[in-house]
Amino acid sequence: MNTKIVKLLPMLLAGVMVGCSTSEDGEGELYGYGLMQDYGEGIFNEQGGDQFDEFTDNPFIKVADAPVSTFSVDADGASYAIMRRYANSGYEIAPASVRIEEFLNYFTFDYPAPTDGNTVAVNAEVGVCPWNADHRLLRLGIKGKELKENEVPQANFVFLVDVSGSMDSSDKLDLLKSGLITLLGQLNPEDRISLITYSGEVKKVLESTPVKKADKIKKAIKQLKADGCTAGGAALRMAYEEASTNYNPKYNNRVIMGTDGDFNVGVTSVDSLVSMVERYASKGIYMTCLGFGQGNLNDGMMEKVSNAGNGTYYYIDSENEMMKVFVHERERFVSVANDAKCQISFDETMVSEYRLIGYENRVLSNEDFEDDKKDAGEIGAGQTITALYEIVPTDKFDECLQDVSSQRHVFATFDFRYKKSLNSSSIPMKVEVAVEDMYDSNKNLLPTSENFNFAAGVAAYGMVLRNSPYKGNASIIMASDLVRNSCSFDPHGYRSELLNIMQKIKVKE
C-alpha cells in the first residue's frame, strides 16, 4: 500500500481538515480546497472544503534507464464529472482534482470489439504530438466486451446510503434516491436489492428483496431522510455481510455506496479498513462509490476505497450523470476483465524518452505484470480504456522510412494481461507499433483518427487545467479544436458537452 495513503487515511477517517504542500521528498500530500478560496493556498472555507490527494505529473523517463513501463488500468470517471460541476458552478478547477486518465475514461471511444473468445480487445495508434511537434504521441486502446441482455448476470446489490445531515440537499440525497429508483427500472425481476443506511446509527432498512417487488423497494428508498452526524460504525461491514449472505459466484455481487464523502465507517485502523475491503473484493464482492455534492467532498477517500474494493468511483453532479451511470452504461457494473495491466516496451534505438500521461497512482513495478496475485484494475462490459504516452523519437525513428526492405520497424510493444474471473490465470495479449504505422506506402504522413485526436484534445485540456510542466504548446483553443473535429462518434452527446464546458473555463495559460 502506498505510504502516503497510510498517512492520510487516519486523518480522513477522523474527519480532520488539513491543507499542506508537497513534501520535500516529492510525495503528494492531502490538499483541501475551499470552493471560494485561492487553490494555491490549499485552505478550507467555512463549510470544510473538498479534499483531493495532490500528486505530481509523471516525468519523462530515459529509455536507456528504463525501457519498460507498467501500469494498472483505471476505469473511474469521477475526476471529469467533478471538473464539470466546478465549471458549471463558475468555480476554478482545483489542479489536484484533475486526473487525466479519468478524463479520458469518462468517454467511450470507437474501438473494435473483442474477438476469438476474448472479453477485451486492444489496439494502438501513433501520430505527431499536437503540443510538441518534435515528439510523437502513442495512443493505447482497450475495449471490454459488450453484453447482450441474456448475458448479464443476476445482480446482488447492497445500497449503502449516507443519510447524515450533510446529505440533506437536492444535489445529494434527493439525487441519490432518484438514481436508485431509476436503476430499479433497468434491472431484471430476479435481481436482488438490499438497503443499509448510516448516520448516527447503522440500520438495515431493507433485507435482500427481488426487484419484482419494486414497490416495496421504492417505498424504502423514498422514506430515506438525512439527519444527524456521520458516524457509520459498522456500516461498511454490515453491507459486505449482507452481500455475503446472498452471495452467488455466478451473480454480480456489489456494494454501491452513496455519500458526499464525509465518510467515517468507524474503522480506527487503516490496516483494518484496507484489509476488509480487499478481503471481500478477493471473494468477488466489488465496490462502487458514488460521490455527491461539493464543499466537503472527500474525493481522496472514495478513490482509495473503490480502488481497494475492485470497484469504480463516480461523481454524480446531475440527473444526466445518473442516467449515464445507471441507464446508458449500466452494464459496466459487470466486470469483463479483472486485474487488467498494461506494459509497454520501447526500443532504445528509436525512442530516447517517454512519459505516461496520467495514471500517476496506477504505476506498477515491471515484476507485477506477470504476477497474477498482484491486484490491478477492472474493466466493465462495453467500457473503453485509453492511455497516452508522449515519446521523444531518436534520429533513427524517421530514418527507418528509408529502409527499402519490407521490414516493419517496431519501436514499441504493447503487452496486456487480464483475467476473465478473479481466480483464473491471466490471459496475455500483444500489439506491436511500428514507425510505418504513421505513413502510407508513399511515405506520406497519415491523418490520425478521431480516437487519437479526441484523446489528445482531452489530455491537452487536462494538462492546461493542471498547468502541467509538460503541456508544451497546449491551450484551451488547441484542445477545443481537437475535440471539435472528433465528434462524429458521440454517444449521448458527451463530447459535445465537453466543448460547451471548455467555453466556460478561465485559466491562466
Side-chain angles (χ1 to χ4, degrees):
M1 184 180 178
N2 190 305
T3 55
K4 72 175 180 180
I5 301 173
V6 173
K7 295 175 185 176
L8 295 176
L9 280 174
M11 293 186 288
L12 296 176
L13 289 168
V16 174
M17 299 299 180
V18 298
C20 47
S21 61
T22 304
S23 60
E24 292 181 0
D25 63 4
E27 277 197 300
E29 298 293 340
L30 181 70
Y31 266 67
Y33 292 96
L35 292 179
M36 301 307 293
Q37 302 293 336
D38 180 355
Y39 289 137
E41 302 196 4
I43 56 179
F44 288 87
N45 63 13
E46 293 179 358
Q47 286 70 43
D50 296 341
Q51 300 177 49
F52 304 101
D53 287 353
E54 182 59 275
F55 61 93
T56 55
D57 293 23
N58 286 325
F60 277 100
I61 296 174
K62 293 184 180 300
V63 178
D65 296 333
V68 179
S69 172
T70 306
F71 65 96
S72 163
V73 304
D74 187 343
D76 295 345
S79 178
Y80 176 85
I82 291 170
M83 176 279 299
R84 179 178 59 202
R85 175 66 179 267
Y86 277 25
N88 288 335
S89 299
Y91 299 133
E92 288 185 64
I93 309 301
S97 73
V98 178
R99 296 183 290 272
I100 292 177
E101 69 278 9
E102 294 187 25
F103 276 39
L104 289 167
N105 294 330
Y106 179 88
F107 298 93
T108 298
F109 284 72
D110 190 17
Y111 292 155
T115 58
D116 301 328
N118 286 305
T119 55
V120 293
V122 295
N123 64 85
E125 182 181 8
V126 62
V128 175
C129 180
W131 51 87
N132 189 331
D134 292 331
H135 293 179
R136 301 293 176 261
L137 193 64
L138 173 62
R139 179 194 57 76
L140 308 177
I142 308 165
K143 170 69 181 274
K145 177 185 176 181
E146 296 181 6
L147 299 180
K148 299 177 182 177
E149 187 171 345
N150 62 357
E151 294 178 313
V152 177
Q154 186 171 326
N156 168 31
F157 289 161
V158 178
F159 295 150
L160 176 60
V161 180
D162 179 356
V163 292
S164 61
S166 64
M167 288 287 287
D168 188 16
S169 67
S170 60
D171 64 341
K172 294 184 179 181
L173 185 58
D174 290 346
L175 186 57
L176 174 56
K177 289 162 62 175
S178 173
L180 296 182
I181 290 173
T182 298
L183 176 60
L184 285 179
Q186 305 300 312
L187 298 176
N188 295 317
E190 298 305 317
D191 290 339
R192 304 189 70 86
I193 298 295
S194 304
L195 182 59
I196 294 172
T197 62
Y198 68 96
S199 57
E201 64 176 350
V202 181
K203 184 177 181 181
K204 186 185 296 184
V205 176
L206 183 71
E207 298 276 355
S208 182
T209 303
V211 172
K212 60 187 176 184
K213 297 183 179 180
D215 290 343
K216 180 179 180 180
I217 300 173
K218 289 179 183 178
K219 181 178 179 181
I221 294 172
K222 290 178 179 179
Q223 289 178 344
L224 297 180
K225 294 182 179 181
D227 186 31
C229 61
T230 306
L236 192 56
R237 180 169 284 107
M238 179 183 287
Y240 275 124
E241 289 176 351
E242 176 71 9
S244 297
T245 299
N246 302 283
Y247 177 82
N248 186 310
K250 295 182 180 180
Y251 289 2
N252 178 12
N253 303 278
R254 187 175 294 265
V255 173
I256 301 176
M257 180 177 70
T259 176
D260 60 1
D262 187 10
F263 178 52
N264 178 0
V265 292
V267 180
T268 57
S269 164
V270 174
D271 290 339
S272 296
L273 172 66
V274 174
S275 177
M276 175 173 60
V277 175
E278 290 181 337
R279 183 172 68 254
Y280 282 103
S282 67
K283 295 179 180 179
I285 301 175
Y286 291 13
M287 163 69 76
T288 292
C289 290
L290 306 176
F292 293 83
Q294 60 187 30
N296 65 333
L297 178 70
N298 198 330
D299 174 85
M301 168 62 81
M302 286 186 284
E303 188 188 13
K304 301 303 181 296
V305 169
S306 64
N307 286 351
N310 280 0
T312 47
Y313 166 36
Y314 303 99
Y315 177 74
I316 310 296
D317 62 331
S318 62
E319 289 282 357
N320 286 340
E321 186 65 11
M322 272 293 189
M323 289 295 292
K324 180 179 189 290
V325 173
F326 285 145
V327 179
H328 302 320
E329 299 175 358
R330 179 180 66 85
E331 66 174 341
R332 295 186 183 182
F333 282 123
V334 181
S335 177
V336 296
N338 298 273
D339 291 337
K341 309 168 192 173
C342 302
Q343 187 169 83
I344 294 79
S345 304
F346 293 99
D347 185 331
E348 182 183 358
T349 66
M350 287 184 280
V351 178
S352 63
E353 297 180 67
Y354 63 86
R355 187 177 89 84
L356 173 61
I357 300 175
Y359 294 90
E360 282 82 4
N361 63 0
R362 293 289 186 155
V363 174
L364 300 174
S365 68
N366 294 335
E367 293 75 17
D368 291 335
F369 184 66
E370 294 186 4
D371 182 0
D372 281 358
K373 295 181 181 180
K374 180 65 178 180
D375 182 53
E378 277 64 45
I379 300 174
Q383 189 160 33
T384 60
I385 301 294
T386 301
L388 297 172
Y389 278 86
E390 183 176 349
I391 63 175
V392 181
T394 65
D395 292 340
K396 183 181 176 181
F397 189 95
D398 288 324
E399 289 175 0
C400 292
L401 290 177
Q402 307 308 317
D403 188 346
V404 296
S405 71
S406 59
Q407 175 185 357
R408 277 170 52 85
H409 297 86
V410 175
F411 69 88
T413 302
F414 171 27
D415 287 294
F416 179 76
R417 280 184 176 270
Y418 78 100
K419 302 174 185 174
K420 288 186 177 181
S421 62
L422 281 176
N423 297 320
S424 62
S425 298
S426 63
I427 300 170
M429 306 181 77
K430 183 190 298 285
V431 175
E432 293 183 336
V433 191
V435 174
E436 288 77 8
D437 295 338
M438 290 182 61
Y439 301 91
D440 63 20
S441 58
N442 295 319
K443 301 180 182 179
N444 296 314
L445 192 66
L446 289 166
T448 48
S449 70
E450 285 198 5
N451 286 324
F452 181 97
N453 296 335
F454 183 75
V458 171
Y461 178 56
M463 287 191 292
V464 171
L465 293 181
R466 283 189 54 75
N467 193 24
S468 170
Y470 307 106
K471 68 179 182 179
N473 296 324
S475 65
I476 296 294
I477 294 175
M478 172 189 288
S480 298
D481 288 343
L482 286 164
V483 170
R484 183 177 296 106
N485 295 319
S486 308
C487 290
S488 65
F489 177 81
D490 190 17
H492 309 294
Y494 300 133
R495 296 188 180 192
S496 298
E497 180 188 56
L498 173 57
L499 278 175
N500 293 330
I501 292 172
M502 286 177 170
Q503 296 174 4
K504 302 176 182 179
I505 296 294
K506 295 179 180 180
V507 296
K508 296 178 181 179
E509 298 184 16

